[in-house]
Amino acid sequence: MLSLMTTLGGLGSHLGGWRHPRAWTGTAMNLDQQIELARIAERGLFDLLFLADGNAVRQMDKPALFEAVSFSDRPTGFEPVTLMAALAQHTSRIGLLATATTTYEQPWTLARKFASLDHLSGGRACWNIVTSSYPGDSRNFGREDHVPRGERYARASEFVEVCKGLWDSWAPDAFPEDKDSGRYLRADRVRTLDHHGVHFDVAGPLNVARMPQGYPVLFHAGQSEPGRELAARHADCVFSVSGDIKVGRDFATDMRQRAVRHGRAASDIRIYPGATAYVAQSMAEADELFEELQSLISPSVGVPYLSKLVEEDLSGYPVDGPLPDLSGEVSGLSSFRTTIAAMAERDGLTIRETYERVLPTMGHVLFKGTATDVADQMQEWHDSGAADGFLLSAPALPFGLESIVDLLVPELQRRGLYRTAYTGSTLRENLGLPIPRNPHFDLALSGTEQS
Amino acid sequence: MTDSMILVTGVYPVGGHLAGWRHPTAYPDIAMNLDAMIELARLAERGRIQALFLADGNAVRQMDKPALFEAVAPSDRPASFEPTTVMAAIAQHTAHVGLFATATTTYEQPYLLARKFASLDHISGGRAIWNVVTGSYPGDAVNFGGGFPERTDRYRRAGEFLDVCKGLWDSWADDAFPQDKASGRFLDSSRVHVLDHVGENFAVRGPLNVARSPQGHPVLFMAGQSGPGRDLAAQHADCLFTVAQTKEESLAAVADIKGRVAAFGRDPAALKIIPGIRVNVAGSREQALDLYRELNALVSPALGVEYLSSQVKQDLSGYPLDGPMPDLSTEVAGVTSIRQSIGEMAAREGLTVRQTYQRLLAADEDPPFTGTAAEVADEMEDWFRSGACDGFMMNVPTLPLGLERVVDLLVPELQRRGLFHDDYTGGTLREELRLPVLRNAYFDTAHAGSTT
């Protein structure tokens, strides 16, 4: 079965998406639109709503791009966990994937808010573990220079361990709340963590009861070596930045092997390539939308956008000349840079051709055509082992997502590739993931847990 | 009518009395019960109450006092929601009532905190309240790697933390996001401000990645009663919770606090004083007293002494139950206002240990704010009209019963007397509370309709 997720936010994944005549107007801080997206996705039986995040306003040094607002910049947006807590009240089954950073948060505070979200949503919380790849974030937390990747991942690893320890603070039966005896809680069913590590000293216990899912579902996006290792140890699901099926399959194979090396089953880790889907009644209609959106992007926006993705200022290079050498290491997110450089070199693209190619996909795969065309491609990815599901973005909203739900989903269902109803109430149940058992309390007393 | 009094009530379903959760009418399950909190929020909104209170801390408390730990005191919260997330959820089920989230300046980061409150303000359509605390419970520190900072250090950090948050909340002009499809201009880069704060505790560049929120800044509540706490409130807060056993105590506190507000160059009326009171209203005085008697019967002396010990931050188990209270005037770490207030009361009235914990449980013969709606309203009116407060934080013994009685009995009486508003105005919470207009420090209001 394929698992689908999509992105909140409202702009659409194409840089020109928000300018399309049929796109929403007034998307900045528009809660009603977020609720509508959530409902459309839940109508389409999606597993997850995703909200990317960062802790800085980006691209202020690239005025044209800054004013044009790109998909991943988010100069204004909701803090993810508060938004998901609100959306939980308007949905009943879809998972809520909120991004939060291990680099600038504290494990206690983060563990609490995700535990709270899991309770508020009846077991639908999902944490996208990030280490803040964007260098500018550090300046909002007292550092002039970006925290080096190795240090970020060392901290992240300990951070996740502390969170898991805090989430195991209480047995599921720790709160009898017995009015007759006056015993609200059982002092023998709580555990103090007393973690003392390199980065953190956290005593615990957490002041939130054991959550419905035990732990939130854990997601990770890092494609680098330390990112893959972190995911292989801890993550239930990983994003895959893969421009084609071969790259996607290699990534998936590598992640599954790593999971096995960490003592997990290969199937314990789910692979979600990012993809943009242009689904229409005909290929011509899909092409037309694609061209319409491309025409909204001029070089004054396209070049700084590409500069941003490859983390290199390309404004000094001729737009119709080749890309400079991008093999040097950068401090932030290197996965896009590597993927894009490889593609440009392979296909001999100019800067203009590169941004025109990259813009609609951001290094991810692009599916375009009728529901049959798109389902064929998705099925190929799935059957080849490159994807357990997709982060499926629509180029413009809300109609792009409506097309996915109304045209593509029935086609996937017809093929037996996709569910026809949610089968569980918690996200873990819907994903077929086990509820982690609490290692400190025996199972005999804890009805809600399973191994 | 003069300004309406401000009424605030708690939404943590455990109730205000130590045994409140054991009452037959109380919620059978309190831990992580969102539905109960939604029900309480709606009930409060039916009573036109202006704000929902939710206390918070960052530790499990009383693990060293097993009887009290297992019995759960109202202020201990061993299992509860993180405040901003639960308020974001409650916002979806209410339309007018203010949403109160407590968060600490001692263990959080200003960028993250400013973001989540700005987000909550957008999510709630301008109803966010930040209860600014400095993490007065010493046990919180062990969850953040360090020792417990001194009060003066906590307050210095809090002052700078607030400066940073206010600067971040003013990052964007109200018209910064034209979102013009035709020109492709989503935002106006001339309408954003980079804070570039570099101070003693924080270096925060900004801008915040959230558009200016409907209220500009969330309404700021504080509860600090010490000198530094009152000064911080005088400088920054919109509302201040106070602890006072009598009207005279409250009048003295108001005089001191308003003097401090003026010393910071603010209009003394700009800071609203909200004492916490225990309200027990019923159809008759005897019925109200019966409720207290019923609950008090559930509290053993051992539990009562542990409860009192936790409130005064001193182990009283070694003292004779019917002997005098020890001197509580010595300094201890953490919240001292309740300790001080109880100590003064016990000394003034020569109370024993047992009498003191019973007083805490309202087990004395004449507890304040207890009786019929008319009797309770008389006391509230007396405090309010004599300038001892701008409103009340109402603590009811058990939930939902206590709040139902407030809404059904007390509120109509207060409205009849012209002391409490008949309905919400429909504006943001700042407008409901008639707080001064907040201008953006960095952008003129000529462009910005909603800040004028």
XYZ file of all heavy atoms in Angstrom, chain A residues 159-208:
403
model
N 19.728 14.224 22.009
C 18.432 14.883 22.190
C 17.298 13.868 22.031
O 16.379 13.790 22.863
C 18.310 16.001 21.142
C 17.222 17.007 21.362
C 17.546 18.338 21.612
C 15.883 16.663 21.282
C 16.559 19.300 21.795
C 14.884 17.615 21.461
C 15.223 18.925 21.710
N 17.364 13.074 20.965
C 16.300 12.096 20.705
C 16.282 11.040 21.811
O 15.214 10.628 22.276
C 16.461 11.459 19.309
C 15.418 10.361 19.100
C 16.335 12.527 18.219
N 17.464 10.620 22.270
C 17.525 9.649 23.377
C 16.832 10.205 24.630
O 16.095 9.493 25.310
C 18.987 9.311 23.733
C 19.797 8.660 22.623
C 19.442 7.197 22.388
O 18.591 6.671 23.135
O 19.996 6.605 21.446
N 17.105 11.472 24.926
C 16.491 12.085 26.109
C 14.977 12.144 25.943
O 14.221 11.802 26.865
C 17.067 13.498 26.371
C 16.307 14.190 27.512
C 18.552 13.427 26.700
N 14.532 12.534 24.771
C 13.074 12.603 24.539
C 12.435 11.239 24.741
O 11.398 11.116 25.415
C 12.778 13.106 23.126
S 13.112 14.858 22.920
N 13.024 10.213 24.179
C 12.443 8.872 24.343
C 12.397 8.493 25.825
O 11.406 7.928 26.300
C 13.251 7.844 23.548
C 13.035 7.945 22.038
C 13.850 6.868 21.296
C 13.449 6.792 19.828
N 14.230 5.753 19.098
N 13.464 8.810 26.541
C 13.480 8.527 27.974
C 12.370 9.264 28.708
O 11.694 8.707 29.577
N 12.156 10.520 28.343
C 11.091 11.300 28.985
C 9.715 10.748 28.619
O 8.812 10.712 29.457
C 11.194 12.776 28.589
C 12.375 13.547 29.189
C 12.500 14.939 28.546
C 12.235 13.695 30.712
N 9.563 10.332 27.382
C 8.260 9.789 26.967
C 7.942 8.468 27.673
O 6.788 8.050 27.709
C 8.227 9.608 25.442
C 8.177 10.910 24.698
C 7.553 12.060 25.082
C 8.785 11.202 23.427
N 7.737 13.049 24.130
C 8.487 12.547 23.098
C 9.558 10.469 22.517
C 8.916 13.161 21.923
C 9.985 11.071 21.341
C 9.675 12.404 21.055
N 8.978 7.816 28.190
C 8.771 6.573 28.940
C 8.609 6.820 30.439
O 8.692 5.888 31.245
C 9.960 5.618 28.719
C 9.962 4.995 27.328
O 8.872 4.903 26.730
O 11.038 4.608 26.841
N 8.385 8.073 30.853
C 8.329 8.393 32.280
C 7.227 7.654 33.026
O 7.414 7.219 34.156
C 8.096 9.896 32.486
O 9.208 10.654 32.062
N 6.069 7.544 32.419
C 4.903 7.032 33.137
C 4.428 5.726 32.513
O 4.369 5.598 31.293
C 3.734 8.023 33.078
C 4.006 9.344 33.736
C 4.527 10.458 33.142
C 3.775 9.696 35.104
N 4.628 11.482 34.059
C 4.168 11.048 35.269
C 3.251 9.018 36.205
C 4.078 11.721 36.477
C 3.156 9.684 37.415
C 3.567 11.019 37.550
N 4.036 4.800 33.362
C 3.324 3.615 32.873
C 1.951 4.066 32.391
O 1.405 5.057 32.893
C 3.187 2.590 33.988
N 1.385 3.342 31.445
C 0.051 3.743 30.955
C -1.025 3.684 32.042
O -2.038 4.366 31.934
C -0.245 2.721 29.847
C 1.082 2.175 29.456
C 1.940 2.222 30.670
N -0.778 2.902 33.093
C -1.791 2.793 34.153
C -1.396 3.601 35.395
O -1.823 3.305 36.497
C -1.993 1.317 34.533
C -0.689 0.685 35.014
O 0.360 1.372 34.959
O -0.719 -0.479 35.441
N -0.571 4.623 35.197
C -0.059 5.378 36.344
C -1.098 6.289 36.993
O -0.877 6.783 38.094
C 1.154 6.206 35.923
N -2.204 6.520 36.314
C -3.188 7.474 36.835
C -4.541 6.805 37.076
O -5.453 6.936 36.271
C -3.336 8.662 35.878
C -2.076 9.469 35.760
C -1.142 9.189 34.768
C -1.793 10.465 36.674
C 0.050 9.906 34.682
C -0.607 11.186 36.601
C 0.315 10.904 35.605
N -4.672 6.090 38.201
C -5.965 5.441 38.476
C -7.086 6.454 38.739
O -8.251 6.162 38.497
C -5.674 4.586 39.716
C -4.427 5.134 40.317
C -3.644 5.721 39.184
N -6.740 7.626 39.246
C -7.736 8.676 39.533
C -8.921 8.097 40.303
O -10.078 8.291 39.916
C -8.197 9.359 38.238
C -7.029 9.900 37.415
C -7.480 10.819 36.283
O -8.296 11.720 36.563
O -7.016 10.649 35.154
N -8.616 7.414 41.372
C -9.656 6.734 42.149
C -10.233 7.671 43.208
O -9.587 7.968 44.217
C -9.047 5.476 42.789
C -10.079 4.725 43.617
O -11.288 4.901 43.355
O -9.677 3.980 44.531
N -11.441 8.115 42.985
C -12.058 9.072 43.901
C -12.247 8.474 45.292
O -12.120 9.176 46.292
C -13.425 9.503 43.366
C -13.372 10.448 42.181
C -14.791 10.907 41.848
C -14.802 11.837 40.648
N -16.148 12.363 40.385
N -12.584 7.195 45.356
C -12.870 6.579 46.657
C -11.652 6.573 47.560
O -11.709 6.982 48.720
C -13.374 5.141 46.473
C -14.757 5.122 45.857
O -15.446 6.169 45.952
O -15.133 4.100 45.266
N -10.537 6.100 47.044
C -9.340 5.999 47.882
C -8.565 7.307 47.929
O -7.703 7.487 48.786
C -8.419 4.901 47.339
O -7.912 5.302 46.081
N -8.836 8.199 46.987
C -8.079 9.441 46.935
C -6.736 9.289 46.254
O -5.902 10.193 46.284
N -6.552 8.134 45.618
C -5.283 7.913 44.941
C -5.415 8.345 43.483
O -6.020 7.652 42.663
C -4.938 6.436 45.025
C -3.494 6.136 44.729
C -3.300 4.640 44.780
N -1.901 4.310 45.020
C -1.410 3.098 44.822
N -2.189 2.118 44.420
N -0.137 2.857 45.038
N -4.835 9.474 43.191
C -4.899 10.017 41.836
C -3.880 9.324 40.945
O -4.161 8.973 39.807
C -4.635 11.516 41.895
C -4.693 12.211 40.561
C -5.911 12.676 40.065
C -3.550 12.426 39.803
C -5.981 13.312 38.842
C -3.614 13.063 38.580
C -4.827 13.502 38.105
O -4.899 14.139 36.896
N -2.685 9.162 41.478
C -1.633 8.518 40.687
C -0.926 7.475 41.527
O -1.053 7.433 42.753
C -0.645 9.546 40.154
C 0.176 10.363 41.154
C 1.428 9.622 41.630
C 0.599 11.677 40.504
N -0.177 6.618 40.871
C 0.586 5.578 41.542
C 2.060 5.932 41.500
O 2.686 5.968 40.433
C 0.363 4.243 40.841
C -1.020 3.674 41.051
C -1.167 2.320 40.421
N -0.093 1.421 40.851
C 0.020 0.163 40.430
N -0.863 -0.335 39.578
N 1.008 -0.591 40.852
N 2.600 6.176 42.688
C 3.992 6.610 42.778
C 4.962 5.536 42.294
O 6.111 5.836 41.956
C 4.318 6.993 44.223
N 4.506 4.290 42.237
C 5.404 3.219 41.768
C 5.319 3.017 40.255
O 5.946 2.115 39.712
C 5.079 1.898 42.481
C 3.653 1.420 42.187
O 2.814 2.275 41.820
O 3.377 0.213 42.308
N 4.546 3.845 39.585
C 4.424 3.692 38.126
C 4.975 4.910 37.390
O 4.500 5.269 36.303
C 2.964 3.441 37.743
C 2.326 2.248 38.441
C 2.916 0.910 38.042
N 2.477 0.476 36.722
C 3.041 -0.534 36.044
N 4.064 -1.197 36.555
N 2.587 -0.871 34.861
N 5.971 5.539 37.971
C 6.648 6.669 37.326
C 8.140 6.478 37.506
O 8.586 5.896 38.504
C 6.172 8.018 37.916
C 6.441 8.101 39.414
C 6.805 9.199 37.187
N 8.890 6.928 36.529
C 10.326 6.704 36.553
C 11.062 8.013 36.293
O 10.732 8.760 35.370
C 10.697 5.705 35.473
C 12.176 5.429 35.410
C 12.458 4.400 34.343
N 13.886 4.282 34.126
C 14.563 5.025 33.254
N 13.946 5.937 32.531
N 15.866 4.853 33.118
N 12.057 8.264 37.132
C 12.927 9.425 36.944
C 14.035 9.049 35.983
O 14.667 8.008 36.138
C 13.509 9.854 38.302
O 12.421 10.176 39.164
C 14.393 11.067 38.155
N 14.261 9.873 34.982
C 15.227 9.530 33.931
C 16.667 9.689 34.396
O 17.513 8.826 34.157
C 14.952 10.416 32.705
C 15.875 10.272 31.513
C 15.745 8.873 30.904
C 15.556 11.318 30.445
N 16.963 10.831 35.013
C 18.321 11.145 35.457
C 19.359 10.982 34.361
O 20.369 10.308 34.520
C 18.700 10.276 36.666
C 18.365 10.998 37.963
O 18.369 12.250 37.960
O 18.069 10.320 38.958
N 19.102 11.618 33.259
C 20.059 11.585 32.144
C 21.187 12.595 32.379
O 20.931 13.758 32.659
C 19.332 11.933 30.839
C 20.268 12.102 29.682
N 20.630 11.052 28.865
C 20.948 13.183 29.222
C 21.486 11.487 27.954
N 21.692 12.780 28.136
N 22.399 12.119 32.249
C 23.561 13.021 32.298
C 24.432 12.713 31.109
O 25.039 11.646 31.039
C 24.331 12.840 33.605
C 23.503 13.176 34.806
N 23.194 14.478 35.156
C 22.867 12.393 35.701
C 22.417 14.466 36.226
N 22.201 13.219 36.575
N 24.477 13.607 30.152
C 25.218 13.336 28.919
C 26.154 14.459 28.561
O 26.444 15.336 29.379
N 26.602 14.437 27.312
C 27.546 15.455 26.842
C 26.832 16.801 26.671
O 27.359 17.843 27.039
C 28.162 15.011 25.495
C 29.079 16.092 24.934
C 28.921 13.698 25.667
N 25.625 16.744 26.125
C 24.912 17.987 25.817
C 23.818 18.325 26.817
O 23.414 19.484 26.913
C 24.288 17.898 24.423
C 25.282 17.700 23.331
N 25.728 16.456 22.959
C 25.942 18.593 22.556
C 26.612 16.586 21.980
N 26.764 17.868 21.725
N 23.298 17.318 27.488
C 22.115 17.562 28.323
C 22.185 16.854 29.667
O 22.702 15.735 29.760
C 20.842 17.077 27.598
C 20.672 17.658 26.229
C 20.868 16.884 25.096
C 20.331 18.996 26.065
C 20.723 17.423 23.828
C 20.193 19.543 24.799
C 20.390 18.763 23.675
N 21.661 17.513 30.669
C 21.379 16.906 31.967
C 19.897 17.109 32.224
O 19.445 18.243 32.392
C 22.190 17.571 33.073
C 23.678 17.326 32.893
O 24.111 16.181 33.054
O 24.396 18.291 32.555
N 19.151 16.035 32.219
C 17.699 16.129 32.354
C 17.233 15.075 33.356
O 17.420 13.872 33.141
C 16.989 15.917 30.996
C 15.477 16.058 31.165
C 17.495 16.897 29.950
N 16.606 15.522 34.422
C 16.213 14.590 35.478
C 14.909 13.854 35.159
O 14.803 12.658 35.382
C 16.063 15.344 36.803
N 13.924 14.582 34.639
C 12.613 13.972 34.480
C 11.964 13.767 35.837
O 12.505 14.182 36.853
N 10.813 13.081 35.931
C 10.014 12.586 34.807
C 9.296 13.709 34.051
O 9.216 14.835 34.541
C 8.994 11.665 35.498
C 8.902 12.153 36.909
C 10.220 12.773 37.242
N 8.803 13.378 32.885
C 8.028 14.341 32.102
C 6.672 14.562 32.776
O 6.096 13.615 33.321
C 7.808 13.800 30.680
C 7.281 14.813 29.653
C 8.313 15.906 29.386
C 6.902 14.137 28.334
N 6.180 15.782 32.732
C 4.880 16.070 33.364
C 3.712 15.919 32.384
O 2.767 16.709 32.383
C 4.884 17.454 34.023
C 5.263 18.556 33.062
O 5.580 18.295 31.912
N 5.231 19.792 33.529
N 3.800 14.912 31.562
C 2.714 14.537 30.647
C 2.575 13.020 30.743
O 3.583 12.306 30.718
C 3.019 14.930 29.186
C 1.807 14.647 28.299
C 3.441 16.390 29.078
